[in-house]
Every structure is written in C-alpha cells, then in structure tokens.
Amino acid sequence: MIKNLLLVLSFLIGIILNCNASLLYEYRKGPDGTFSAIVLGNDDTSTQLVIPDFTTYQGQQCPVVGIEDNAFQLQDFGSITLGANLRWIGSNAFQHAGVTKLVIPPSITYVYGNGLPDCSELIIEDGNDQIRIDKQRFEVKTLFLGRNMSCEPLQFRHLSSLSIGENVTEIYKNTFDGAKELTYVKLPEKLEKIGEAAFYETSISTIDIPPTVNKIESFAFGLTKLNTIRFNGTELSERLTIDADAFYNVSFSAAYINRKLNVGGKMFEASRNSLQTIEFGKYAEYIEGMLCNHCTRLANIKFAPGIKEIKSQSFWGCEGLTNVTLPDGLEIIGIMAFADCSQLSRVELPATVKTFSGDRQFVGCSSLKEIICHATIPPMTEWNAGYMPFDEETYSTASLWVPEGSVDAYSKAEIWKDFMHIAGAEKVAVSNNIFTIKDGRIVSASGNDFKVDIISANGILIYSGLIFNSPTLAKGLYLVRTCENGTRKIIIN
C-alpha cells in the first residue's frame, strides 16, 4: 500500500521512486546525468537499520545522500548505521527511534530539527567540514565531537562525558549551554575560539585553555562550578582576549596564567572571597591591571622570571598577602599595584626593577616591615618629586635592604631617601665559600660543622647551635654570626 501510494505521488510530481532491500528511495538526477538517492522510509518492522553507502538504480551505483523528513519517526530500532555518503538528515527523521549508540559520518553536514534519534552515546566523527544541527533535545550521556559544530540551542540534559577531537577549532555559541551534568572536558590543542555561553551553567570544575585559543566570549563559562583554571601558552601564542562576563559569577580558588591576557580587570571579579593561589608563567609577560584587585583570600602568588610589568591596581586590596617576591626581569610596577594589602609584611624587588609607574604602589600596607631591593641603581618614579610608593609610616618603621655598595645611592634617591633604616645586604650565592642555602636552611658550604647564631632582621635570636642542626627559615633577611667569620647578612628567597 505504501509503495503504491509513493509511486502515484512520484507520477504526479515528477519524482522517481524505487524500493531497494526494504528501504524506499527517491532518485534525483544531477546535471552530469548521474543519480543520487534520498531515503524516504522503509516498509518493514526490522529493528536493525542500515543506510547503505550506495544503492543501484537503472544499472548505476547511486550514493545515498539524504534521509527525508519524518522517514522513520514512528519506528524504534536496536541499532542504526548511517552510510558514509549521507550529507543531511531531515527533520524528525528518527523522532521515536531510541538507540544505544549513534555514529555520524564525516560526510553529514546538516541535521534538521530533531533529526537525530535519542541515544546514550553519540560520536560525530572527525572531519574537515562543519556540521550544523538544528534544534534538538538529546538524552546523550557521552559525546565525541570530531569537528566544528554549529547549532540552534541544544539540550544536553544528561551529558557527563565530552571528548573533543583535534579538528575542532571553535566551540560555537550555546553549544553546551545548560549541560548541568557535564563535569570535565579536555579542550583540543588547535582550538581558537570559545563562543558565547558555550559552556554556560555546566558543572566543569577544572579547565585548561590551550595555547591556540585567542578569544573567549561573554558568558562562555558563566555560572559554572570552575574552581581551577590554567591558561597555557607558548612563545608563539597571541594575546588572549576575554570578554566581560566570560566567567560570570565563577569563584576560582586557583589559577595558572602563562599567556598575555586582555581581560579588562573582570577575570576574577567573582573570586574576591575565594581565590587563594595564582601563578604566572614566563609567557605572561605582564600582569593585567586590576586583575586580582580585592581578592581578599589571595595568599600565594608565584611569578616566573621574564614578566616585565605589573600594571596598575593588579593586586590592590589583597589583604591575605603577607610575603611577595617579584620576579627577575620585572622592570615596571604600576600605580597602586599592591595598595591596601594590609597584611603584607615583606616585599622583595629584583635587580631589574627600573620604574615605579606613578605612585602609591604600596600605600595602605600597614604591616610592611621589610623591603629588599636588589637593584644597584635605585628605581625611580615616572612622575615628579613628591609622589611616593610607600606610606609615611613605612618610611619610618620598615627596613630597606639594598645591595652592598648602593646604600649611599639609595640614601640620596628621591623615592628612597626618606627611609630611616637603610642598610646593605649580601644575597648568598649557591656556592658561597662559607654558607649555602638548601631547602630554606642555611648550611655549611664546606661541609664542616661549626657554631652559628641566626638572628632575624629585627634583632631576635632565632637559633644558636651547630650549623648541621640549623632550622628551616621563612623568606627574609637574617644575620648569621660565627666566631671565625664574624656576622654576615643573608637573604633567603
């Protein structure tokens, strides 16, 4: 009956139909005289559906290129195999056909609305051509995405495992928006862009952003459960632009940044009460202005050598900081970079520091008691005399340690001369002929044991005894006294 009806319709509208191995086809003739086949449905109740690569018509091998709208909408299948020549699947083609696993071949580039069956595992095979999927609700739990996929908003209600192939260069807008059960995804090394709300309101907790990504759009990771993020980079990585609200309402506890970022100071806006640790790799080059301002629980910052500038207000109001060692290679410290870090007691500046850009770099640091500056030439401010990096109280109460031989220069330099306590110190080299430092301990360089007194910078005796038993020390400046060699000033980094 179905066959006869389709044959009558074909006569009326000029379509050639054929039935081949229980599948019903429409054949279309191309400009070159060859035919291609479209699957219209089938005429049996088989639970196994196989769409072949080719079918035969008028003695020709015809590629099967499409599945028509509603072709199998009232049927259930135990398995579905799609042919390697399919280019599209029509709307509602498999509306009620639930299967365990479905493989989408590389040839398919368009799936119309609700064209796919429910399945628990979906594999979109690797391919160079983008696939477009119109509005679709999935029950899929496991997805392999092998190529770029654009879509109307999809509903991955139960997606928990996502794998992304190396051919994917962009995660398009809203692709995984609302996949609340998605907890982990590894992004591919060729990825370049993460679109608006791509992973919005997922349960991802950790993410590594590959070195190739150069754009993250608004709300891309908004309302996720991210607590750790790593921006990986290489020498060739371009600057990564992150739109405002890309991480809307995300509270990070840890971050690793090894890229040049353009974030407009909003990266950690929602992390002010959660961010505890941040590390900057050598490819970061500079620290973005206002990046971590008022992250009150931030207690650990690690800088790789090579960062050249800390921009204005980068760590303003980070009340949890107590000890900051700035990296070799740093040249410029911006306005209020560490202002109002009220628990900051010790700051160490590298020999490369040249400029305090503007002033007030360390104002409001009421606990600051020790400043160690390794620059032999005193760093200066870009602005006129009278602009100071430190509070008046710091100038009167903190100790400034500078290289031996540079005390006089600092005592005369514009932004340093007001320190009441300026003294020279020697940074112990690893191969010092008397002492060396190992795992935070001052030990004998010669291997001989002898008695030492270790005294803190504020004059408190910390240890008196044989050097073999010397304790592990916190970062800072110490006086080490021996009977034979007198007293040495030593800095532990």
Side-chain angles (χ1 to χ4, degrees):
M1 179 65 183
I2 294 176
K3 291 182 185 177
N4 292 334
L5 178 60
L6 291 173
L7 287 171
V8 171
L9 289 173
S10 69
F11 176 77
L12 292 175
I13 61 176
I15 298 175
I16 303 171
L17 300 178
N18 188 37
C19 176
N20 187 322
S22 81
L23 291 178
L24 303 174
Y25 296 98
E26 168 193 323
Y27 291 90
R28 295 178 180 175
K29 190 174 183 179
D32 60 356
T34 62
F35 288 94
S36 60
I38 310 299
V39 178
L40 300 179
N42 66 351
D43 63 353
D44 66 14
T45 58
S46 172
T47 60
Q48 311 297 317
L49 176 65
V50 177
I51 306 297
D53 298 347
F54 295 93
T55 186
T56 302
Y57 177 71
Q58 294 186 356
Q60 291 186 21
Q61 282 273 74
C62 304
V64 180
V65 297
I67 300 176
E68 190 56 271
D69 296 353
N70 308 309
F72 304 102
Q73 68 165 335
L74 299 179
Q75 293 180 252
D76 291 321
F77 297 101
S79 68
I80 297 174
T81 302
L82 301 177
N85 291 319
L86 280 175
R87 299 173 194 165
W88 54 268
I89 298 175
S91 62
N92 298 308
F94 297 98
Q95 189 173 7
H96 298 291
V99 294
T100 301
K101 179 178 178 179
L102 183 67
V103 178
I104 307 293
S107 58
I108 292 180
T109 58
Y110 209 117
V111 179
Y112 292 86
N114 293 309
L116 298 177
D118 286 339
C119 58
S120 58
E121 181 180 0
L122 178 64
I123 298 174
I124 300 177
E125 292 189 315
D126 290 333
N128 295 320
D129 293 327
Q130 171 185 301
I131 184 171
R132 167 76 183 182
I133 300 179
D134 283 350
K135 187 175 182 180
Q136 177 90 35
R137 188 177 75 176
F138 288 101
E139 299 298 323
V140 63
K141 296 180 179 178
T142 301
L143 170 65
F144 172 77
L145 180 62
R147 51 195 162 117
N148 289 343
M149 177 174 70
S150 65
C151 54
E152 290 293 327
L154 303 181
Q155 297 182 38
F156 287 102
R157 299 187 304 169
H158 303 297
L159 180 65
S160 60
S161 176
L162 171 62
S163 301
I164 302 179
E166 293 302 316
N167 287 335
V168 176
T169 58
E170 180 174 352
I171 307 296
Y172 287 90
K173 177 179 178 180
N174 297 116
T175 303
F176 302 104
D177 181 359
K180 294 184 178 181
E181 296 182 20
L182 180 60
T183 57
Y184 178 78
V185 59
K186 185 178 185 300
L187 300 177
E189 289 300 321
K190 293 181 181 179
L191 190 68
E192 297 175 2
K193 181 180 178 182
I194 302 173
E196 181 181 343
F199 293 98
Y200 190 80
E201 210 172 359
T202 62
S203 295
I204 298 170
S205 61
T206 301
I207 197 74
D208 285 78
I209 306 298
T212 50
V213 174
N214 52 48
K215 184 67 179 291
I216 301 177
E217 295 188 336
S218 296
F219 303 103
F221 293 95
L223 290 180
T224 61
K225 295 183 179 179
L226 277 173
N227 56 55
T228 301
I229 190 166
R230 287 181 283 266
F231 293 96
N232 301 306
T234 67
E235 190 173 1
L236 300 176
S237 295
E238 299 177 4
R239 181 183 298 184
L240 170 57
T241 298
I242 301 174
D243 283 353
D245 297 320
F247 296 91
Y248 171 73
N249 208 26
V250 174
S251 297
F252 294 100
S253 61
Y256 172 71
I257 299 175
N258 197 19
R259 292 282 303 274
K260 296 188 288 290
L261 301 182
N262 179 15
V263 298
K266 295 209 173 191
M267 176 73 199
F268 299 109
E269 188 171 19
S271 304
R272 290 179 172 176
N273 296 315
S274 61
L275 186 66
Q276 299 177 45
T277 301
I278 191 165
E279 181 176 349
F280 297 93
K282 64 180 180 179
Y283 298 120
E285 192 171 311
Y286 61 84
I287 311 302
E288 186 73 22
M290 299 185 70
L291 183 67
C292 299
N293 70 93
H294 291 96
C295 289
T296 57
R297 295 188 65 193
L298 181 61
N300 303 299
I301 305 178
K302 184 177 181 181
F303 301 93
I307 294 171
K308 296 180 179 179
E309 181 177 1
I310 298 176
K311 293 183 177 290
S312 62
Q313 303 178 8
S314 295
F315 302 100
W316 172 31
C318 292
E319 298 173 358
L321 289 177
T322 59
N323 191 321
V324 171
T325 300
L326 300 180
D328 290 336
L330 183 69
E331 298 178 359
I332 302 172
I333 304 174
I335 300 171
M336 296 181 69
F338 293 92
D340 293 331
C341 295
S342 57
Q343 300 302 312
L344 185 62
S345 61
R346 176 184 179 275
V347 172
E348 185 169 352
L349 309 177
T352 50
V353 169
K354 299 177 181 178
T355 305
F356 285 86
S357 180
D359 68 343
R360 297 172 290 167
Q361 280 74 10
F362 297 96
V363 297
C365 298
S366 55
S367 301
L368 191 55
K369 299 302 180 187
E370 186 175 75
I371 300 151
I372 301 168
C373 188
H374 294 286
T376 54
I377 299 175
M380 299 301 294
T381 179
E382 290 178 338
W383 293 2
N384 296 327
Y387 289 96
M388 297 297 182
F390 306 96
D391 286 330
E392 288 185 13
E393 182 181 356
T394 301
Y395 281 104
S396 61
T397 61
S399 296
L400 172 63
W401 299 94
V402 300
E404 295 281 10
S406 296
V407 174
D408 187 58
Y410 277 82
S411 298
K412 297 175 181 177
E414 188 61 43
I415 62 175
W416 304 100
K417 64 183 181 180
D418 291 333
F419 275 99
M420 295 183 65
H421 308 283
I422 304 178
E426 177 182 358
K427 183 177 181 181
V428 173
V430 173
S431 60
N432 185 282
N433 60 356
I434 301 172
F435 303 111
T436 188
I437 297 173
K438 183 177 182 181
D439 299 327
R441 294 177 58 238
I442 298 172
V443 300
S444 170
S446 65
N448 297 325
D449 199 7
F450 48 87
K451 186 177 182 300
V452 295
D453 293 329
I454 301 177
I455 304 164
S456 69
N458 56 6
I460 297 174
L461 179 65
I462 294 175
Y463 173 77
S464 181
L466 296 176
I467 195 169
F468 280 4
N469 299 319
S470 65
T472 300
L473 302 170
K475 293 180 179 180
L477 185 139
Y478 298 90
L479 304 177
V480 182
R481 185 167 57 205
T482 67
C483 293
E484 295 182 358
N485 297 291
T487 301
R488 306 289 293 273
K489 302 182 188 77
I490 294 175
I491 296 172
I492 294 182
N493 295 321

